[in-house]
Amino acid sequence: MARKPPEPVQVIKQRRDAALSALVSGVPYIQYLGVRFDRRGDELTALLPFDDKLIGNPFLPAIHGGVTAAFLEITAMITLNWFWLWEDIESGALDPETMTVGNLPRLPKTIDFTVDYLRTGLPRDAYARARVNRSGRRYASVHTEAWQDNRDRPFAQATAHFLMPRKDG
């Protein structure tokens, strides 16, 4: 049996970018906050660009705690979805074109979400990364950290648990 030639790297990158774009564009609150994702291979870094609408306490000023929590949960959700769908994206079994028009597979659902506010979120850009600690057939655990100027000094972190959908439906 003849081996199928490898796909050109640009085709793979385009498929990855289209799939990530479809995941992110499916949530209006992500657009409202302006959250973007930087993709390097299978690793995602979330970016929350600073905007005055994000300020909760103008006297400090500080990013609103709800915005911080939402940023952490968005990062956890998108990272888990990316991790969960990776094989289907890579194999081409998941078509980014159909995802873009809203035809997404069933995705994990949040069970619980706990935030630790470690310091004030300053009026500047914020970044976050999530790590999937466990992803089984029924349940996933994700840890997320958000920082601003120094990756080693997070201003908030979160732990989230998700109910995983069955792959067959």
Side-chain angles (χ1 to χ4, degrees), residues 6-49:
E7 288 181 289
V9 71
Q10 278 311 105
V11 170
I12 295 169
K13 285 182 177 182
Q14 287 172 345
R15 186 168 57 238
R16 289 175 182 170
D17 290 341
L20 180 58
S21 176
L23 285 172
V24 171
S25 66
V27 183
Y29 194 54
I30 293 176
Q31 275 68 57
Y32 174 75
L33 291 178
V35 176
R36 299 188 308 258
F37 284 85
D38 180 37
R39 182 190 60 74
R40 298 285 184 251
D42 67 343
E43 182 180 72
L44 300 177
T45 301
L47 165 65
L48 176 65

Side-chain angles (χ1 to χ4, degrees), residues 46-78:
L47 165 65
L48 176 65
F50 177 73
D51 189 309
D52 285 333
K53 71 183 177 191
L54 305 177
I55 295 296
N57 184 339
F59 297 107
L60 289 178
I63 294 177
H64 191 281
V67 170
T68 298
F71 180 50
L72 289 165
E73 187 172 13
I74 287 165
T75 303
M77 286 175 29
I78 296 296

Side-chain angles (χ1 to χ4, degrees), residues 62-160:
I63 294 177
H64 191 281
V67 170
T68 298
F71 180 50
L72 289 165
E73 187 172 13
I74 287 165
T75 303
M77 286 175 29
I78 296 296
T79 300
L80 178 60
N81 291 338
W82 186 248
F83 174 84
W84 189 65
L85 296 173
W86 179 257
E87 286 181 23
D88 291 339
I89 294 168
E90 287 300 287
S91 70
L94 194 58
D95 179 22
E97 294 295 323
T98 59
M99 288 176 64
T100 304
V101 295
N103 190 5
L104 294 167
R106 290 189 57 203
L107 298 173
K109 305 279 188 239
T110 305
I111 296 172
D112 66 36
F113 187 76
T114 305
V115 179
D116 297 322
Y117 297 97
L118 306 173
R119 57 185 50 84
T120 301
L122 301 172
R124 56 185 67 139
D125 292 353
Y127 307 90
R129 280 200 190 131
R131 180 180 67 250
V132 178
N133 291 327
R134 180 191 190 286
S135 179
R137 288 182 304 136
R138 300 183 59 169
Y139 155 92
S141 175
V142 181
H143 179 77
T144 309
E145 290 184 339
W147 71 95
Q148 291 182 305
D149 297 323
N150 184 337
R151 174 82 168 91
D152 293 328
R153 288 183 43 85
F155 70 96
Q157 63 185 11
T159 301

